[in-house]
Amino acid sequence: MFEDRPDRDEVVLVGRSNVGKSTLMRELTGHDVPTGRKPGVTRQPNHFDWASEGFMFTDLPGFGFMSGVPEEQREQIKTDVVRYVEDNADDILAGVLVVDGKSVVDIIDRHSGEGEVPHDVELFHFLRDVEVPTVVAVNKMDKVDDRDERLDDLCDRLGILPPWQQWRDTVAPICAKRGDIDALTDALETHFHEAKRDDLLKFL
């Protein structure tokens, strides 16, 4: 279980291992975040805070398949992530679900058997159920050719109606590695504004 959470408002980053959460975190915060070739480098929440502002970005551990990590441990990580969000929902200004634009639709389809809810879909609905404003940061879009079609397919899988363009505060196509994260910061701006936290816009 994760402990020692600083007491402040936050934006949390959640998602599978290896979708580029730590790279995105580096873009958002300017801090050097440990990223690894091996999935599962982040095992505890990484908080990047501004003490004077009562605000932080939090990179939560990746979940899902990780080579060399036993299933029991993977499940525990996912449980801890869910519990963290549940326990702190009142202080979370936005939950950013980071997905790999190139593979997310295929991964969702692969895990959509009977009685099975894919992690990404489950997490999206969970964040909304606990009333955390949710943005899906669709990363690695530089590797996607049929951009609009892919984003529409993702909306469809998440249970929100395409076209994706009408969900700009929910679906944000980005490429963290290239520093192209404007769609995400625009979406976060909307949520900060709605939470009456315009004082935090300078962090975006």
Side-chain angles (χ1 to χ4, degrees):
M1 190 55 194
F2 309 141
E3 288 157 13
D4 304 327
R5 177 189 176 275
D7 181 19
R8 47 187 50 133
D9 285 345
E10 66 182 321
V11 168
V12 297
L13 271 62
V14 297
R16 292 176 176 278
S17 295
N18 267 13
V19 291
K21 287 199 314 304
S22 299
T23 306
L24 175 56
M25 193 67 158
R26 200 161 50 213
E27 280 301 317
L28 284 166
T29 64
H31 287 283
D32 206 16
V33 182
T35 58
R37 283 256 161 251
K38 280 173 64 180
V41 169
T42 312
R43 290 289 170 85
Q44 285 287 329
N46 278 327
H47 302 294
F48 293 90
D49 58 15
W50 288 268
S52 60
E53 305 289 345
F55 171 69
M56 63 187 175
F57 283 104
T58 300
D59 181 14
L60 289 171
F63 55 81
F65 177 74
M66 294 173 245
S67 60
V69 179
E71 182 167 359
E72 194 176 311
Q73 195 177 338
R74 296 201 302 261
E75 282 304 312
Q76 187 56 52
I77 291 171
K78 190 173 145 217
T79 302
D80 288 346
V81 166
V82 165
R83 197 170 295 149
Y84 180 95
V85 171
E86 222 161 26
D87 291 348
N88 301 301
D90 290 348
D91 297 322
I92 298 177
L93 297 171
V96 179
L97 172 59
V98 187
V99 299
D100 181 330
K102 194 167 168 59
S103 61
V104 64
V105 173
D106 299 336
I107 289 173
I108 288 173
D109 288 351
R110 204 178 312 142
H111 292 279
S112 294
E114 197 169 322
E116 205 180 1
V117 181
H119 286 329
D120 300 296
V121 176
E122 184 182 15
L123 213 57
F124 177 73
H125 289 290
F126 163 69
L127 286 165
R128 296 179 111 193
D129 286 347
V130 295
E131 297 182 0
V132 167
T134 308
V135 183
V136 183
V138 192
N139 197 17
K140 308 185 184 181
M141 285 304 287
D142 56 317
K143 298 186 172 139
V144 174
D145 302 327
D146 46 354
R147 181 185 168 98
D148 289 340
E149 191 181 325
R150 182 65 53 93
L151 292 167
D152 284 350
D153 284 347
L154 178 58
C155 285
D156 179 57
R157 305 304 191 273
L158 294 173
I160 57 179
L161 279 176
W164 74 272
Q165 286 91 339
Q166 63 184 334
W167 299 101
R168 287 192 189 271
D169 58 351
T170 305
V171 176
I174 62 168
C175 176
K177 213 172 212 166
R178 294 186 174 178
D180 173 12
I181 61 168
D182 289 354
L184 173 58
T185 52
D186 289 350
L188 290 175
E189 251 175 52
T190 304
H191 295 305
F192 285 4
H193 185 64
E194 284 170 359
K196 303 193 169 34
R197 290 302 306 265
D198 284 359
D199 56 308
L200 300 177
L201 296 179
K202 61 176 176 281
F203 294 124
L204 299 175

